[in-house]
């Protein structure tokens, strides 16, 4: 039963099948960011050039990093949230006429097959609710709020209590076609490698602002996809990480 799964994290497949990617077929590339409606409610974030936060040394954050499951009730500031979003998916440069984003994290072939959603609980000047990060614009797109949101998030994480106490939970979806378009059957391995870089930057950036986070891979697929209002096929939850100011355990 493990054989197939093991195979999916090896590279043999590129020798075994004669695969021609959609890129090689000259099929137009998928958009590097999921579109959003014209009338979307957008919230401006603090631009990276204005950050006064996060100036701690790299060695210090590497030494401090651990998974944090106890959060204080303190609010994050909008600047701190902007810093976390920038650190995980910020767009440094747009190349190939808008086809490719270069970001603060690496990604196989610069395909960056993710969207970042936030479940906001305690962030100053932000209504509670579900948001999506528009990385190109460096803005937040407000999706919705629901009085049961934190309870639904908790259920989506099999009742892990600490999730409910987070100031914000980062939830990443994968849009696999962005990577499949270039790498075909190797894409799925690369997507998993890519998301690790994103979450590691969240770990380090959160420590730099006196906050902490804990990666979660054991979530309920359908409940989380419903919470984000994604289709579960062409876009689905892949990883999440609740975050809050550190309360010493
Ligand atoms: C891929 C991955 C999945 C994880 N999933 C969970 C999880 O579902 N629940 C949880 O409480 N911690 C989860 N963690 C956190 C690990 O338990 C934690 O990294 C590990 O115990 C080592 O502790 P440290 O991060 O403090 O060094 C996950 C970590 C990784 C990298």
């Amino acid at each position: 039963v493990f054989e197939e799964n093991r195979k999916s994290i090896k590279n043999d497949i590129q020798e075994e099948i004669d695969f021609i990617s959609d890129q090689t077929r000259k099929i137009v590339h998928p958009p590097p960011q999921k579109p959003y409606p014209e009338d979307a409610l957008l919230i401006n974030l603090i631009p990276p050039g204005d950050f006064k936060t996060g100036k701690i040394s790299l060695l210090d954050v590497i030494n401090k990093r651990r998974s944090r499951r106890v959060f204080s009730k303190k609010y994050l500031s909008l600047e701190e949230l902007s810093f976390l979003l920038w650190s995980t998916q910020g767009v440094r440069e747009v190349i190939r006429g808008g086809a490719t984003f270069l970001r603060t994290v690496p990604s196989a072939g610069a395909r960056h097959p993710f969207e970042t959603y936030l479940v906001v609980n305690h962030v100053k000047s932000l209504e509670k609710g579900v948001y999506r990060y528009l990385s190109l614009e460096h803005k937040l797109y407000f999706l919705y709020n629901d009085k049961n949101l934190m309870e639904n998030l908790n259920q989506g994480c099999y009742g892990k209590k600490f999730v409910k106490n987070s100031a914000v939970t980062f939830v990443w979806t994968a849009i696999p076609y962005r990577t499949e378009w270039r790498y075909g059957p190797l894409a799925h391995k690369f997507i998993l490698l890519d998301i690790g870089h994103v979450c590691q930057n969240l770990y380090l950036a959160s420590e730099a602002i006196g906050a902490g986070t804990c990666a979660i891979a054991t979530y309920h697929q359908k409940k989380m996809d419903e919470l984000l209002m994604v289709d579960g096929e062409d876009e689905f939850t892949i990883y999440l990480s609740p975050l809050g100011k550190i309360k010493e355990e």
Side-chain angles (χ1 to χ4, degrees):
V1 64
F2 293 153
E3 206 177 316
E4 219 167 287
N5 288 358
R6 284 186 182 182
K7 202 172 165 152
S8 74
I9 62 168
K10 296 197 270 182
N11 279 13
D12 295 325
I13 200 154
Q14 64 188 343
E15 310 299 326
E16 288 169 9
I17 58 171
D18 194 12
F19 178 78
I20 301 168
S21 71
D22 279 359
Q23 181 179 20
T24 306
R25 284 178 220 269
K26 303 258 183 272
I27 291 173
V28 69
H29 64 83
Q33 174 170 284
K34 186 180 175 181
Y36 58 95
E38 262 178 36
D39 62 351
L41 176 57
L42 303 185
I43 295 111
N44 289 326
L45 293 166
I46 313 301
D50 293 348
F51 292 157
K52 293 183 182 62
T53 197
K55 309 257 163 144
I56 179 173
S57 88
L58 180 61
L59 182 62
D60 285 347
V61 293
I62 288 175
N63 286 338
K64 268 156 63 91
R65 189 222 63 85
R66 46 172 294 202
S67 293
R68 312 261 184 191
R69 298 181 183 81
V70 181
F71 306 124
S72 83
K73 289 204 162 56
K74 275 198 201 142
Y75 277 60
L76 287 186
S77 68
L78 196 60
E79 183 186 345
E80 288 168 332
L81 184 65
S82 306
F83 169 69
L84 298 171
L85 286 162
W86 175 257
S87 303
T88 47
Q89 282 288 271
V91 177
R92 280 194 292 105
E93 201 183 333
V94 177
I95 56 170
R96 299 193 191 101
T100 306
F101 295 171
L102 296 178
R103 301 182 190 254
T104 51
V105 288
S107 164
R111 302 309 307 144
H112 294 288
F114 310 116
E115 294 291 331
T116 305
Y117 293 77
L118 300 178
V119 179
V120 168
N121 191 25
H122 293 145
V123 180
K124 270 180 227 151
S125 68
L126 270 193
E127 191 186 325
K128 291 182 188 216
V130 179
Y131 295 75
R132 177 155 64 87
Y133 179 45
L134 302 177
S135 54
L136 181 63
E137 295 80 358
H138 190 57
K139 289 179 198 268
L140 281 180
Y141 163 24
F142 174 76
L143 292 171
Y144 74 96
N145 191 14
D146 180 307
K147 64 179 173 10
N148 297 322
L149 183 60
M150 293 312 284
E151 181 52 36
N152 292 344
L153 178 64
N154 187 43
Q155 294 301 316
C157 297
Y158 292 105
K160 289 184 186 69
K161 287 245 168 55
F162 69 94
V163 177
K164 261 191 179 173
N165 299 330
S166 61
V168 60
T169 295
F170 279 63
V171 190
W172 294 285
T173 60
I175 298 187
Y177 183 63
R178 282 189 208 151
T179 304
E180 290 164 350
W181 176 79
R182 172 169 299 175
Y183 293 109
L186 277 176
H188 312 96
K189 168 177 171 173
F190 294 173
I191 291 168
L192 295 178
L193 295 172
D194 281 356
I195 195 63
H197 301 298
V198 178
C199 193
Q200 178 68 3
N201 266 23
L202 186 66
Y203 265 97
L204 297 177
S206 62
E207 293 289 344
I209 57 163
T213 196
C214 178
I216 293 186
T218 50
Y219 58 85
H220 189 292
Q221 189 68 53
K222 198 154 184 281
K223 287 184 182 169
M224 283 311 304
D225 289 345
E226 278 172 10
L227 190 143
L228 303 181
M229 301 195 305
V230 295
D231 67 19
E233 290 291 332
D234 294 322
E235 180 182 11
F236 48 83
T237 307
I238 189 160
Y239 209 18
L240 60 112
S241 209
L243 183 149
K245 287 286 172 126
I246 292 171
K247 179 172 163 186
E248 289 310 328
E249 290 165 52

